[in-house]
Amino acid sequence: MILIVAFLNWRASRQLETRLATLREAGKPLCIADLQPSPVDDSQNAAIAIGSLEKVISDYDHQLAKATLEIETDEEHVAAAIQVARKSEIENPGLVVKLREASRLPKYQPDYDFSLGPTPLVEDVLKQVHPIRTVVRVLRGHGLMSLSDGKTDEAVLDAIAILRWSEHLAKEPLMVNYLVSVALFGEAADLAASCIYAEDASLEMRSELVRMFEDTPLADHFAKTLDTELAFGISSFDSFPLSRFQFMLGELSDYIDVFSEMKSIAKMPTGLAPSTSPKEGLFTALAWPSFASSLASLRRSQAKARALQILATWQTLGSDTAISIDDLGLPESVCTDPFDGSSMKLTVVGDSIAIYAVGQDMVDNDGSVDDERDIGISP
């Protein structure tokens, strides 16, 4: 019996090592320590830049929370955000400019402690992601205020800055950072849509805004996130008692295979992941729903980015509400619904249009983007 158990453990270990060797040869991280980035000078680090503004942005967050405490509608929330932004503009002139400048820095590198175990590292990441969310609230409030004052170019600058902060976070390790970055991308896209619908931004600023959404490598960000999350998962397995026994070795092998399967699905231009894991292991079954949900988040970001490009092109060609998406002359990659592979949808709203994808339910709900049954933009 001892010999049989030893043999089974040896075989499982060899199977696991084959998978790890493939990842190692591809230069992928295999543990938390491998996620440690190269040092960056403080003057080039956006995390340091906003760290020096911690008290100011924290005060802003408290004021916004107080102003929106009993608010129920989106319209009331926008009004409250504008009110807080006006007060901040008086009390902290130059804050928004500093946040925009920080977003342009080449690196965002919080001081994560990569010597920590899996659970403490996640707690550290959750703690340090909060300041960026507050930074985006400041920029969004300023953008809404600028739009209400007819200063659309200023709002465009805020949307671009939010997009840059989203990209900073998307490049950081672990799924939790990626999911927050997706939320920030949505904020940037919604503000950008309001700027384009306003139709009074300068041609230069409008072009820069659309180009940045066109150039954002959304799929690459998701693929990198999967790589870092797998390294985290391997370290998590190693921290378990009896991690070198056959059952755990087999579970880890399945876990690695699941990541490979998800990356293959994500490389496809459209589609969602199956609802159940392709492997029957306990840990893969538990982890798969979060991976599938993250892929759906990628598709939402792709849908909004494509909708913005379609809207801008529609306006450039004369804003004819009788025109179809096929008439716009855009590449197939822009016109394709990232959820089901059909065409992106266009529907007339007043004298303008809404552009959307079917959304996660794969059903065309006639452009119901407010409740996110469909995913896109609307005036």
Side-chain angles (χ1 to χ4, degrees):
M1 182 63 70
I2 292 174
L3 289 175
I4 291 173
V5 170
F7 171 76
L8 292 174
N9 282 344
W10 173 81
R11 186 174 65 176
S13 180
R14 288 294 299 271
Q15 292 171 342
L16 173 60
E17 182 51 39
T18 298
R19 290 166 170 78
L20 293 176
T22 301
L23 294 170
R24 197 177 293 115
E25 290 170 6
K28 303 299 183 183
L30 297 179
C31 63
I32 287 175
D34 290 346
L35 302 178
Q36 176 78 55
S38 301
V40 59
D41 188 87
D42 285 357
S43 64
Q44 302 297 302
N45 188 352
I48 298 295
I50 63 171
S52 64
L53 301 169
E54 181 178 1
K55 185 179 185 310
V56 177
I57 62 176
S58 178
D59 288 345
Y60 185 101
D61 209 18
H62 291 314
Q63 291 181 34
L64 183 61
K66 183 178 179 181
T68 57
L69 183 61
E70 298 181 358
I71 280 180
E72 297 180 357
T73 68
D74 290 342
E75 291 77 10
E76 290 174 331
H77 196 284
V78 168
I82 292 174
Q83 179 185 10
V84 174
R86 291 197 191 283
K87 183 179 179 183
S88 176
E89 189 83 344
I90 296 171
E91 296 177 348
N92 303 294
L95 173 61
V96 168
V97 172
K98 291 177 182 177
L99 297 180
R100 291 174 184 166
E101 290 174 348
S103 76
R104 296 189 187 97
L105 292 175
K107 297 288 184 180
Y108 171 77
Q109 200 170 103
D111 58 342
Y112 300 139
D113 185 351
F114 291 96
S115 67
L116 296 173
T119 300
L121 177 61
V122 169
E123 292 173 350
D124 192 20
V125 169
L126 287 170
K127 177 182 177 182
Q128 299 203 55
V129 78
H130 182 73
I132 281 195
R133 303 203 70 158
T134 305
V135 164
V136 167
R137 291 186 190 106
V138 175
L139 291 167
R140 176 180 179 272
H142 187 270
L144 293 172
M145 180 188 74
S146 298
L147 281 171
S148 70
D149 294 343
K151 300 177 180 178
T152 304
D153 277 6
E154 283 290 305
V156 168
L157 289 172
D158 294 324
I160 289 174
I162 295 172
L163 180 58
R164 288 193 177 113
W165 282 115
S166 170
E167 284 208 79
H168 277 314
L169 210 53
K171 295 174 183 177
E172 288 300 293
L174 304 192
M175 192 68 73
V176 62
N177 273 324
Y178 174 75
L179 292 175
V180 175
S181 79
V182 168
L184 302 189
F185 184 91
E187 295 276 6
D190 290 343
L191 183 57
S194 296
C195 293
I196 296 174
Y197 277 121
E199 297 194 67
D200 58 356
S202 66
L203 178 60
E204 179 184 3
M205 292 301 303
R206 181 177 177 275
S207 299
E208 173 69 5
L209 179 65
V210 175
R211 183 194 64 78
M212 287 198 65
F213 277 93
E214 181 180 356
D215 292 347
T216 301
L218 296 170
D220 291 346
H221 290 160
F222 183 68
K224 181 179 179 181
T225 295
L226 290 177
D227 288 339
T228 63
E229 189 71 15
L230 176 56
F232 176 84
I234 293 171
S235 287
S236 298
F237 269 89
D238 287 340
S239 70
F240 289 138
L242 308 178
S243 62
R244 294 293 99 184
F245 277 76
Q246 178 198 354
F247 169 73
M248 291 300 293
L249 294 173
E251 284 282 332
L252 181 51
S253 293
D254 286 348
Y255 193 70
I256 293 172
D257 289 345
V258 159
F259 272 90
S260 178
E261 179 72 17
M262 179 57 72
K263 290 188 77 171
S264 296
I265 296 172
K267 284 180 181 177
M268 298 170 65
T270 65
L272 297 173
S275 58
T276 57
S277 170
K279 294 286 185 176
E280 296 180 356
L282 172 63
F283 291 93
T284 57
L286 291 173
W288 184 261
S290 68
F291 302 156
S293 177
S294 298
L295 177 60
S297 296
L298 167 64
R299 299 306 188 207
R300 285 196 294 272
S301 296
Q302 291 172 326
K304 288 206 170 190
R306 294 172 191 183
L308 288 170
Q309 295 172 64
I310 292 169
L311 174 63
T313 302
W314 176 78
Q315 289 182 347
T316 299
L317 294 179
S319 303
D320 181 2
T321 55
I323 204 169
S324 71
I325 288 180
D326 292 338
D327 297 328
L328 299 177
L330 288 165
E332 183 180 350
S333 58
V334 176
C335 299
T336 300
D337 185 320
F339 286 92
D340 68 356
S342 66
S343 175
M344 292 284 288
K345 314 298 187 290
L346 181 155
T347 187
V348 176
V349 180
D351 59 355
S352 188
I353 58 171
I355 306 104
Y356 63 95
V358 295
Q360 203 164 340
D361 61 2
M362 300 293 189
V363 175
D364 183 351
N365 294 292
D366 300 320
S368 184
V369 299
D370 289 341
D371 58 10
E372 294 199 328
R373 288 188 297 159
D374 294 326
I375 306 298
I377 56 176
S378 180

